[in-house]
Amino acid sequence: PDLGPSVRMEAALSAISLGRPAQALPLLTPLAAAIQNDPTVRRHALRLRNLAAWLVGDWTEMDVLIADFCALRELECAALTPGGPTMLAAVLNAPGDLALARVPIPGDPGPGFVKIRVRAFGLNFTETLLDGWHVQKLSPVAALVNGIECAGIVVKAGTPGSPLVAGTRVVACAGSMGRAVDGTHAEYVIAPETCVVVVREGEDQLPW
């Protein structure tokens, strides 16, 4: 049957949350390509499709992933208010070219994602591979914020009724962050909810 955008999105989110990203891709690929008249929904669909493609790990998808990344970047830039707020981020401009820069603060998260104010982030082996072949393909096309993990505070969840309410302390890791979408080495990040874990009160020694 011909599923509507909202039904496709919900089905794809369910497949990803169940650890079945390969089932999500056939739903998201035509959706991301077809939605042209609603920039917000298209932005969410592109972000979700990049997450699914990265989780599948099929490198034959790299050209599509790059195209989606570029389309997502164009939509994000188009949604910005001139002179609007910016944040400090570690931006990978090209392989081996990592530098601090002021970049726009990301907007509201879509379904399946959460916006986090980053308070701390890690640096591990993955993030030292700035000359990795996937980065060589992606970063020359559009500068990418580095980083795959962080700890911080939820600003907003994109899924109605999500337990990740504003003010919740969380840690986030992996997904497509820092590799197919902007990463965690910034003041704010949009993270997949499936990659976010709540830090319970009394179970940590975080100073914030």
Side-chain angles (χ1 to χ4, degrees), residues 85-100:
T86 62
M87 64 179 181
L88 193 62
V91 177
L92 187 62
N93 298 295
D97 180 12
L98 183 68
L100 289 177

Side-chain angles (χ1 to χ4, degrees), residues 3-13 31 35 41:
L3 302 178
S6 61
V7 176
R8 283 181 179 272
M9 222 63 120
E10 290 175 8
L13 281 169
L31 178 62
I35 298 174
V41 176

Side-chain angles (χ1 to χ4, degrees), residues 176-190:
S176 51
M177 295 183 295
R179 293 172 290 186
V181 295
D182 284 331
T184 58
H185 291 181
E187 295 180 71
Y188 294 89
V189 65
I190 303 292

Side-chain angles (χ1 to χ4, degrees), residues 29-155:
T29 300
L31 178 62
I35 298 174
Q36 300 292 336
N37 60 346
D38 191 329
T40 300
V41 176
R42 179 165 164 74
R43 192 164 71 243
H44 298 336
L46 286 167
R47 187 181 295 276
L48 192 60
R49 195 209 174 281
N50 263 20
L51 170 62
W54 192 268
L55 292 175
V56 168
D58 181 358
W59 299 114
T60 62
E61 289 285 324
M62 180 56 75
D63 289 342
V64 177
L65 188 141
I66 291 173
D68 284 353
F69 180 85
C70 293
L72 177 62
R73 174 67 83 237
E74 289 179 3
L75 288 169
E76 288 175 336
C77 290
L80 296 174
T81 302
T86 62
M87 64 179 181
L88 193 62
V91 177
L92 187 62
N93 298 295
D97 180 12
L98 183 68
L100 289 177
R102 302 295 310 186
V103 300
I105 294 176
D108 289 342
F113 293 84
V114 59
K115 183 176 180 177
I116 299 171
R117 179 191 174 199
V118 178
R119 299 300 303 270
F121 58 72
L123 179 64
N124 57 47
F125 181 68
T126 299
E127 287 136 332
T128 66
L129 299 178
L130 302 185
D131 291 326
W133 71 270
H134 64 277
V135 173
Q136 289 180 10
K137 284 178 172 285
L138 187 58
S139 59
V141 177
L144 177 72
V145 176
N146 198 45
I148 68 168
E149 60 188 31
C150 72
I153 300 172
V154 172
V155 176

